[in-house]
Amino acid sequence: MFDFMQLASSPQSQEMMFRMMSRQMGQAPPEVRDAVARVEVVIKKGERGFELRMSHSDNAKVEEMTKQSVESWVDLLSRGFQAVGYKVKIYE
C-alpha cells in the first residue's frame, strides 16, 4: 500500500516541492518578490496544533497570492486529515 504520510514527511519529497516553489517564485517580477519578502509569516506551534498568521502586503498581486495560498493550504490540510478519518472543522 502506498503511504502518503510517509511521502509527505520524506525529506526528499519536501525538498523537491520546495525547489519547485522557489523556481516558480524566481520567475515572478522583482517587485512581487520584494513585496513577498516584506510579508511576515508567524507560525505558533503547540503540542497538538499550530496557528498561522501572515501580515498584509502593500502589493495587490501579493495579497491575492497570499489569499490563494491560505485557501490552498487549508484545503490540502483538511482533505488530508479527512482522508485518514479525522473529523475536520474549519472556522472562518
Side-chain angles (χ1 to χ4, degrees), residues 2 15 18 22 26 31-32 36-37 39 44-45 51-52 57-60 64 74 76 82 86-87 92:
F2 190 73
E15 190 59 37
F18 297 139
S22 292
E31 63 273 8
V32 171
V36 166
V39 174
K44 182 179 177 183
K45 182 180 170 189
E51 179 181 328
L52 171 72
S57 175
D58 55 358
N59 183 298
E64 186 58 33
V74 167
L76 178 71
Q82 287 170 343
Y86 287 96
K87 179 178 172 183
E92 296 285 332

Side-chain angles (χ1 to χ4, degrees), residues 7-68:
L7 176 66
S9 64
S10 158
Q12 296 86 1
S13 297
Q14 291 176 0
E15 190 59 37
M16 184 174 44
M17 180 181 69
F18 297 139
R19 263 189 263 131
M20 288 186 329
M21 292 167 71
S22 292
R23 263 189 248 131
Q24 186 176 12
M25 184 50 72
Q27 296 173 357
E31 63 273 8
V32 171
R33 291 193 311 263
D34 291 343
V36 166
R38 292 189 299 271
V39 174
E40 183 177 284
V41 177
V42 177
I43 301 172
K44 182 179 177 183
K45 182 180 170 189
E47 183 181 338
R48 293 177 57 98
F50 65 91
E51 179 181 328
L52 171 72
R53 292 180 185 229
M54 299 177 75
S55 65
H56 291 277
S57 175
D58 55 358
N59 183 298
K61 185 169 185 161
V62 172
E63 274 299 293
E64 186 58 33
M65 285 172 44
T66 301
K67 288 177 185 176
Q68 289 176 354

